[in-house]
Amino acid sequence: QEMWGYSIAAASEGIVHRLVEEFQVEPGALSTEAQLAEFAAGRFYIFHYTYQFEYMLDGTPCQPWNIGDWSLDKRHFNQVSPAYPLPQPPPGANAAGVWLLNAWNEAMGSIPSWPSKQPAGGEGGQVVQTLYGRRRLDWFSRHANGFEQEARKNPLIKRMRGKRYSCAAGAGGADAQRVSAELQPTGDMSLAGEPRARWGAMNDPMQGPTCPVDACLFVNLRGKEAVAHADGSRLTVYESVYTARSREAARHPLWSCEAAE
């Protein structure tokens, strides 16, 4: 608002400005090849970061008002500091997105007291959500065309839509008490009386082998983030690595389900 306020006030007072075309650039995932060529050549003085970089894992840029599997958007960090280091973009991301990601990591890595860092490999501790897994945000799955868009384009959602399961808590077992579950075609999920649970695709490499890319769903149960590995006739629900105490804790099933007859 302050930008537009200044422009209106300057115009009202007849203040004349000299336009410096290379003063700044505002690239995004959908920037043109011509703009990116000038960016790579170092033409611009300032990188005005406002547009987000949204990519699917295959490097396809998302159209406006969509969230990608990989989502570099400053608005994710309005209330928290991003955790160092941020993951690199998928192959095929444009030069501006790669430059911005590396600039963020360079800046955070240069500050010894940076307040948020990912646990080092092999160490315990909770994984901090940064650029992956944002596509499953509840607002996206409830957006007017959010789940329908997934259902049209995502092979896993097409295959899982309407599936019914018989589930047992934890690792299950032959004598375990079982409840019914259904991945409803609307994007809702019924499981043990959970009110208004949601499900959808979760292509998030950070979840690890318990929920591999292209076979992973998100499940929102009572506002708690979980993921579900769709493996043939089995569906195994785990706590998300972003809410579990550690990666090890996220490897223990919350529910073990078999396809209903």
Side-chain angles (χ1 to χ4, degrees):
Q1 292 176 342
E2 77 285 354
M3 294 183 292
W4 311 121
Y6 174 82
S7 298
I8 293 170
S12 299
E13 294 299 319
I15 299 174
V16 178
H17 296 76
R18 181 170 63 89
L19 178 63
V20 180
E21 292 186 354
E22 61 272 13
F23 184 68
Q24 71 173 30
V25 64
E26 297 183 3
L30 295 172
S31 291
T32 64
E33 291 186 8
Q35 185 186 56
L36 292 171
E38 292 178 333
F39 175 84
R43 177 188 178 194
F44 303 100
Y45 292 99
I46 294 175
F47 188 128
H48 180 196
Y49 171 44
T50 184
Y51 299 117
Q52 59 268 47
F53 289 83
E54 306 286 351
Y55 287 99
M56 304 306 285
L57 289 186
D58 63 2
T60 301
C62 294
Q63 294 302 307
W65 309 111
N66 279 270
I67 297 177
D69 293 328
W70 185 89
S71 176
L72 181 58
D73 185 348
K74 63 186 178 184
R75 296 159 190 85
H76 295 320
F77 307 107
N78 285 340
Q79 306 296 327
V80 297
S81 300
Y84 174 79
L86 297 175
Q88 290 292 320
N94 68 34
V98 174
W99 185 93
L100 182 61
L101 184 283
N102 290 334
W104 277 30
N105 277 337
E106 180 183 353
M108 291 187 291
S110 299
I111 303 173
S113 59
W114 186 256
S116 183
K117 297 180 179 180
Q118 295 286 11
E123 294 183 3
Q126 190 176 53
V127 177
V128 182
Q129 186 174 20
T130 55
L131 309 185
Y132 283 113
R134 300 287 182 176
R135 189 173 174 83
R136 62 124 314 267
L137 289 172
D138 192 57
W139 79 262
F140 179 79
S141 68
R142 292 189 186 280
H143 191 271
N145 295 313
F147 187 80
E148 287 303 317
Q149 183 182 138
E150 295 280 83
R152 289 195 305 271
K153 297 181 178 180
N154 189 294
L156 179 62
I157 298 300
K158 291 179 181 180
R159 188 171 78 247
M160 302 300 293
R161 203 176 190 187
K163 292 271 189 185
R164 297 185 180 186
Y165 292 89
S166 174
C167 304
D175 299 326
Q177 184 177 359
R178 308 191 77 82
V179 297
S180 62
E182 180 183 1
L183 302 177
Q184 297 175 5
T186 58
D188 292 313
M189 179 181 182
S190 62
L191 172 63
E194 292 282 354
R196 195 67 173 165
R198 296 289 291 177
W199 72 282
M202 171 63 98
N203 285 332
D204 182 353
M206 299 294 288
Q207 297 297 332
T210 56
C211 210
V213 168
D214 294 329
C216 188
L217 304 173
F218 79 78
V219 181
N220 192 332
L221 303 174
R222 297 185 185 273
K224 185 175 183 179
E225 294 182 14
V227 296
H229 182 192
D231 183 15
S233 63
R234 296 190 299 274
L235 186 74
T236 309
V237 181
Y238 301 90
E239 190 172 359
S240 168
V241 294
Y242 303 129
T243 57
R245 297 187 309 275
S246 64
R247 284 194 177 276
E248 177 59 33
R251 295 190 180 104
H252 301 288
L254 299 176
W255 293 93
S256 298
C257 307
E258 294 285 343
E261 297 293 335

